[in-house]
Amino acid sequence: QVQLVESGGGLVQAGVSLRLSCAASGVTFSPYTMGWFRQAPGKEREFVAAIDWTGSGVYYADNVKGRFTISRDNAKNTIYLRMNTLKPEDTAVYYCAVRRPVTATRPTDIRGYDYWGQGTQVTVSS
C-alpha cells in the first residue's frame, strides 16, 4: 500500500524559510514524477511544484517560481520543497502526491496524480 507522509510545516513569519519533506513507502519511488500541491481554506487544491524521476525535470506554479525549490532523494524515497521568502498567501495545507506513470495530463495537472499524503499545515503570519 502506497503511503506518503509530509512533514516540516509550521507557523512562521513572513519572509522566513521552511523545508517540507514527503517520505514515500509501499512504492518503488524512483520511476515516478512527484508533486507538491496546496489548499488554502475555501479554495481548490492547486499545483505548486513537480519533479520527474531524474530530478532534472522540474515545474513550478508562477506564484512560487523563484522562491520555492523542489528536489528529491530517490535513495531515501523522499521529496522536498524548500520555501523561501514566505508570504501570507502561501498559507495552506501542503500535500505531496505521486503522478501516474502513464497519463495524458501535464505534470502541473492535478488530475494526473493518484496517491496523496495527509498534508502538512503551513501558516505564514504578516
Side-chain angles (χ1 to χ4, degrees):
Q1 184 176 353
V2 178
Q3 187 173 17
L4 304 173
V5 179
E6 301 96 337
S7 61
L11 171 61
V12 297
Q13 289 190 327
V16 303
S17 300
L18 275 179
R19 190 181 78 158
L20 306 183
S21 299
C22 171
S25 61
V27 61
T28 303
F29 182 78
S30 55
Y32 295 99
T33 292
M34 302 290 294
W36 284 100
F37 294 78
R38 67 186 182 186
Q39 188 166 18
K43 295 188 177 181
E44 292 188 351
R45 193 170 298 188
E46 65 174 5
F47 170 77
V48 176
I51 186 167
D52 72 6
W53 73 275
T54 68
S56 60
V58 293
Y59 311 83
Y60 295 100
D62 288 342
N63 54 5
V64 306
K65 200 172 295 183
R67 297 189 298 123
F68 290 13
T69 302
I70 189 171
S71 61
R72 67 191 293 161
D73 185 337
N74 288 338
K76 295 183 178 179
N77 267 17
T78 301
I79 65 167
Y80 305 96
L81 186 68
R82 177 71 178 184
M83 305 184 295
N84 295 330
T85 319
L86 282 162
K87 305 176 180 180
E89 51 264 44
D90 294 319
T91 294
V93 178
Y94 283 72
Y95 300 89
C96 67
V98 180
R99 186 168 178 253
R100 293 190 203 105
V102 179
T103 174
T105 61
R106 294 178 57 84
T108 57
D109 191 331
I110 193 172
R111 296 173 297 175
Y113 290 80
D114 273 334
Y115 299 104
W116 296 83
Q118 84 290 345
T120 185
Q121 176 70 49
V122 173
T123 303
V124 184
S125 63
S126 57

